[in-house]
Amino acid sequence: MEYEEFRAMNTAIVLAAEGDPPALARGFAAAREHIAASEARFTRFSPESELSQLNRSAGGWFMASDELFALLWQARALNEATEGLFNPAVLEVLELAGYDRSLDTVLAPFDRLRPGRGRPGGPPPVGDFRAVEFDQARRAVRLPPGMRLDLGGIAKGWIAEQTARRLAAYSEACAVSAGGDLYAVGVPRRDGDAGGAWQIALADPRDDEQTLAVVRTGPGAVATSSQMKRRWRQDGHERHHLIDPRTGLPAQSEWLSVTAIAPEAAAAEVFAKALLIAGPAGAERIAGRCEGLAFIAVDREGLLWGSANAKGYLDHGIGTI
Amino acid sequence: MKWFPHGLRIVVASGSMAAFLGGWVLLAHAGKPVSANPPPAIAGLEVAPLAPLPSLRPSAGIQALPSLRGGSTVPQLRLRTRGS
């Protein structure tokens, strides 16, 4: 197995692939290029990105690229499937909570940078993503006036999958990991005991260096959402990036992280987030809305909880997505 | 004059007991306080059933899963999922 690691999308990227080394080198280069181009398209931190242009066009029709249109179309389906717990229209409240620049900057002592940005009456209501209009024939999108989108998580999963599919053209089996989001094509054959399955360490959300479990899986997606990541302080309050669209505030969950295993990366990423927000009371109902989904949650004591089918991914057998 | 302190104690104790019992009897027979705005009668009032509190325990479909905690050998893996 050959690996290449670098940083992009403000997270650690790992490319893993088996095959002919010269072909893999070309594949890794193509993968890096694709990730860089996709990041430039979907980032909300650059005013020139296509996403920023879309946000500025709210109220009027916007002619989207194939990539952006496909991602928004998938976002619409996933917004509905998660009963609105995944909602890309959270950008306004995310910025009010303090996450209005790249995370390296947010991690500075934010109290002194932006005192009192929080609104005394609480955050404004999160926009209804179902109000976004789509014109498939023209590949056009219209956001309601004032709505702005953040595609951070879903875009990362989607980019991981698209990149893996490109890398697969140069390899026998490959996987692309972007922070919490991983997508695998094929299965490794040469990796000793690991042959026949991808082995993915599930990190302890309380201490990244510790491993709580090893997920063994075939082709497909594994994604983790954690409320212990991307945290900062604002006006004396600890904040994190997972906004509960029902309250407009960082989600309060009994679970520290949720890992979702699903056939598609965007679905895995979105359901991991939605299940974390839903918590133990609503997780089973939400999970039932995604075919083939398995999930593993970590609570504050570091104990693992999950769907009945999740056990197959943690046993010595190989789970099937 | 040794009988004097002893007698004084008996007199004080008896007086305290008599005062206590007298006060008790007096209050027991006194009129009860009446509110200026009596609460409305609730007889026949329909009380809507409260929604059950959300359970803090995972539902039946969510199971405890085994972890590597407790001394299991943890393989060193380059692929990790740690949240974003």
Side-chain angles (χ1 to χ4, degrees):
Chain A
M1 185 74 68
E2 298 286 329
Y3 293 93
E4 183 151 321
E5 298 182 31
F6 56 98
R7 275 193 79 80
M9 300 188 284
N10 202 19
T11 195
I13 308 289
V14 181
L15 309 176
E18 273 188 356
D20 179 40
L24 293 184
R26 291 197 302 278
F28 285 160
R32 290 181 78 131
E33 202 173 299
H34 179 72
I35 289 172
S38 301
E39 181 181 11
R41 183 187 300 282
F42 296 125
T43 180
R44 68 178 166 93
F45 299 116
S46 163
E48 288 81 36
S49 73
E50 189 179 2
L51 176 63
S52 295
Q53 293 174 42
L54 169 69
N55 284 335
R56 285 196 296 273
S57 79
W61 284 99
F62 180 81
M63 307 300 287
S65 64
D66 286 344
E67 290 82 359
L68 180 60
F69 191 88
L71 184 54
L72 290 172
W73 188 255
Q74 197 164 12
R76 187 174 83 153
L78 290 168
N79 169 256
E80 196 175 323
T82 57
E83 300 178 359
L85 290 180
F86 160 69
N87 185 345
V90 294
L91 183 52
E92 181 72 17
V93 292
L94 202 52
E95 289 181 347
L96 282 169
Y99 192 5
D100 60 356
R101 68 201 75 176
S102 164
L103 203 74
D104 292 340
T105 315
V106 173
L107 288 175
F110 199 74
D111 287 323
R112 280 184 283 134
L113 293 174
R114 262 319 159 85
R117 179 106 198 275
R119 291 156 53 115
V126 176
D128 187 349
F129 190 64
R130 291 171 301 178
V132 176
E133 295 176 78
F134 291 83
D135 183 338
Q136 283 188 285
R138 291 192 302 144
R139 218 182 51 218
V141 183
R142 182 161 68 181
L143 306 184
M147 180 181 284
R148 293 185 304 130
L149 307 181
D150 171 36
L151 297 175
I154 187 174
K156 199 144 57 67
W158 192 82
I159 291 168
E161 179 169 342
Q162 299 300 316
T163 305
R165 291 187 184 283
R166 277 169 173 72
L167 183 54
Y170 300 88
S171 60
E172 295 161 11
C174 67
V176 174
S177 169
D181 300 337
L182 182 142
Y183 188 81
V185 179
V187 287
R189 297 289 174 199
R190 306 179 181 181
D191 220 12
D193 291 341
W198 294 98
Q199 291 195 105
I200 302 151
L202 195 157
D204 188 336
R206 303 163 305 168
D207 179 359
D208 258 5
E209 300 306 312
Q210 303 300 317
T211 298
L212 284 179
V214 174
V215 175
R216 288 171 56 87
T217 180
V222 177
T224 298
S225 267
S226 168
Q227 57 168 311
M228 304 305 284
K229 289 283 180 180
R230 298 175 196 262
R231 297 180 77 91
W232 64 95
R233 291 187 71 80
Q234 182 196 44
D235 294 338
H237 297 286
E238 188 120 359
R239 306 290 195 194
H240 63 82
H241 72 299
L242 296 177
I243 298 291
D244 185 340
R246 299 168 298 186
T247 62
L249 294 168
Q252 301 285 319
S253 178
E254 291 171 49
W255 288 339
L256 296 183
S257 74
V258 172
T259 298
I261 305 162
E264 294 182 341
E269 154 66 32
V270 162
F271 272 90
K273 183 182 293 180
L275 292 169
L276 183 73
I277 294 171
E284 190 182 2
R285 188 186 74 254
I286 298 292
R289 297 175 66 92
C290 180
E291 199 175 344
L293 181 85
F295 73 90
I296 302 160
V298 182
D299 70 15
R300 292 175 191 278
E301 279 75 46
L303 300 174
L304 304 187
W305 302 90
S307 51
N309 57 348
K311 215 169 180 178
Y313 294 97
L314 299 180
D315 288 342
H316 295 296
I318 303 165
T320 305
I321 295 177
Chain B
M1 295 295 283
K2 285 184 178 175
W3 55 268
F4 182 73
H6 188 65
L8 190 61
R9 280 197 199 98
I10 292 172
V11 168
V12 169
S14 304
S16 298
M17 183 72 78
F20 172 74
L21 291 173
W24 190 355
V25 170
L26 195 68
L27 288 172
H29 289 86
K32 301 293 182 291
V34 178
S35 170
N37 299 307
I42 59 168
L45 188 71
E46 284 192 18
V47 179
L50 291 172
L53 290 171
S55 171
L56 294 177
R57 291 171 176 276
S59 60
I62 299 175
Q63 304 181 350
L65 298 172
S67 78
L68 290 174
R69 295 198 318 177
S72 305
T73 306
V74 181
Q76 294 299 310
L77 299 171
R78 303 275 292 268
L79 295 175
R80 293 178 71 78
T81 184
R82 63 183 78 198
S84 57

